[in-house]
Amino acid sequence: MYSSSNSFHKDTNNSMMMSSMKYSEISHFGHPKHKLRFEYSEFPFKCDGCKEIGIGSRYKCSICDYDLHMQCAMPSPTLFHPFYPKCSFRFLSRPPGDIPRYCNACEKVVAGFLYHCVSCGFDLHPCCAKLPMLLEDDEVKLYLYKKVSSPCHRCGQKGRSWSYRSKCKKYNLHVACVRDMIIESWHEIYIGQSKGRKMADTTGIPTIKNTLQAAHNNSSRSKGKKVRKCCEIAGMTVQAVVSAVLGDPTALIAGIAGSLMSRA
């Protein structure tokens, strides 16, 4: 349903999907004792490579409970990103140096696998480095921006990390805020999984439509309906943003996305 129009990210994502279809089992330097098998799960996991939360497609060792995002299981040796045209990012298994390092996309601590630019000192989580530049369906488009001048719908602040922005430019969501929502909901999701509750049950969760009304308080009456419709649809695609940040843009898990967005 959703796709990326950026050729670099599209080719990368397609390559990973083709590789997963071709290689149901792989060897990985991070876990040399056993081979890792490709699997898909609708429950969240913590990636043992980058140490970030993931969902959907992954490579797993069931014996040791070792999990890797697709991006961490099959990283590119080098990476070029359109937001940093002068940079050449190299994949590293751990952050360089002894000081704390932070991802330039989501502003969160880099604790494991990463892409690092030696000349500029920039760092990117593997999943952040390969976020789709465009999430779209037949009705709406969400564009990834390095920085936007409008406030984020969730935190109300400007200029914090990369953002996904609707075509009408009235709805923005920081990548950092998506990660905050994931972390805040992690305990709830994990407990629900351990107790056998199905996360697809979204009874009682507020609708995205209601949570987006604040974004239109200052809209003119003549443009209100058009802009409001655009952002209501954009709000429904936030599940795609969440899935992309978690490492699997194709994993549209409505129940988990609804749980996350109810906190916005």
Side-chain angles (χ1 to χ4, degrees):
M1 181 178 180
Y2 295 91
S3 62
S4 168
S5 67
N6 178 269
S7 59
F8 170 77
H9 290 84
K10 185 173 183 179
D11 291 343
T12 301
N13 290 333
N14 287 343
S15 177
M16 286 192 298
M17 290 302 294
M18 291 177 65
S19 296
S20 67
M21 294 172 64
K22 183 178 180 180
Y23 303 109
S24 60
E25 191 175 77
I26 65 169
S27 297
H28 195 275
F29 68 88
H31 192 69
K33 293 183 179 180
H34 307 104
K35 289 188 176 182
L36 308 180
R37 292 189 62 84
F38 174 80
E39 68 173 47
Y40 180 92
S41 174
E42 294 187 354
F43 291 116
F45 62 90
K46 182 175 181 180
C47 177
D48 289 288
C50 67
K51 314 302 181 185
E52 295 295 318
I53 299 172
I55 199 169
S57 302
R58 60 177 162 177
Y59 276 95
K60 179 178 182 67
C61 173
S62 298
I63 299 174
C64 303
D65 194 26
Y66 183 90
D67 301 280
L68 289 177
H69 289 120
M70 296 289 292
Q71 292 86 339
C72 294
M74 294 180 287
S76 305
T78 59
L79 180 144
F80 296 91
H81 199 281
F83 286 170
Y84 306 101
K86 296 182 180 180
C87 293
S88 177
F89 290 90
R90 293 181 59 190
F91 177 80
L92 300 177
S93 60
R94 59 184 179 182
D98 299 323
I99 62 173
R101 306 198 68 87
Y102 299 87
C103 176
N104 285 81
C106 68
E107 298 188 338
K108 300 302 179 184
V109 173
V110 175
F113 293 178
L114 74 155
Y115 285 99
H116 174 71
C117 177
V118 177
S119 60
C120 298
F122 294 154
D123 301 294
L124 295 173
H125 289 122
C127 290
C128 291
K130 297 182 180 181
L131 283 172
M133 299 300 291
L134 170 63
L135 295 169
E136 64 176 330
D137 63 11
D138 295 334
E139 297 183 85
V140 71
K141 294 182 179 180
L142 292 175
Y143 297 90
L144 184 64
Y145 284 81
K146 184 178 179 182
K147 185 177 181 180
V148 297
S149 58
S150 301
C152 170
H153 172 72
R154 182 177 187 269
C155 71
Q157 298 182 14
K158 303 178 182 180
R160 183 183 176 225
S161 85
W162 297 359
S163 299
Y164 274 103
R165 191 179 197 184
S166 60
K167 186 177 181 179
C168 66
K169 300 182 179 181
K170 293 294 183 180
Y171 181 75
N172 306 295
L173 189 65
H174 289 140
V175 169
C177 287
V178 174
R179 286 210 176 274
D180 288 342
M181 291 154 59
I182 294 168
I183 292 171
E184 290 169 8
S185 299
W186 170 257
H187 180 73
E188 177 184 337
I189 295 171
Y190 181 80
I191 293 300
Q193 176 183 355
S194 64
K195 291 183 178 180
R197 294 201 302 268
K198 294 182 178 180
M199 295 309 295
D201 182 5
T202 59
T203 304
I205 295 175
T207 64
I208 303 299
K209 177 180 179 180
N210 291 335
T211 66
L212 293 176
Q213 295 304 317
H216 304 283
N217 288 339
N218 298 323
S219 297
S220 65
R221 181 168 298 182
S222 60
K223 296 182 179 179
K225 289 184 178 180
K226 182 177 179 180
V227 175
R228 184 159 52 248
K229 177 176 175 58
C230 173
C231 286
E232 286 172 1
I233 297 173
M236 296 305 295
T237 67
V238 169
Q239 57 184 309
V241 179
V242 173
S243 296
V245 173
L246 289 173
D248 192 347
T250 64
L252 305 182
I253 313 302
I256 293 176
S259 175
L260 298 176
M261 284 307 299
S262 70
R263 298 173 176 269

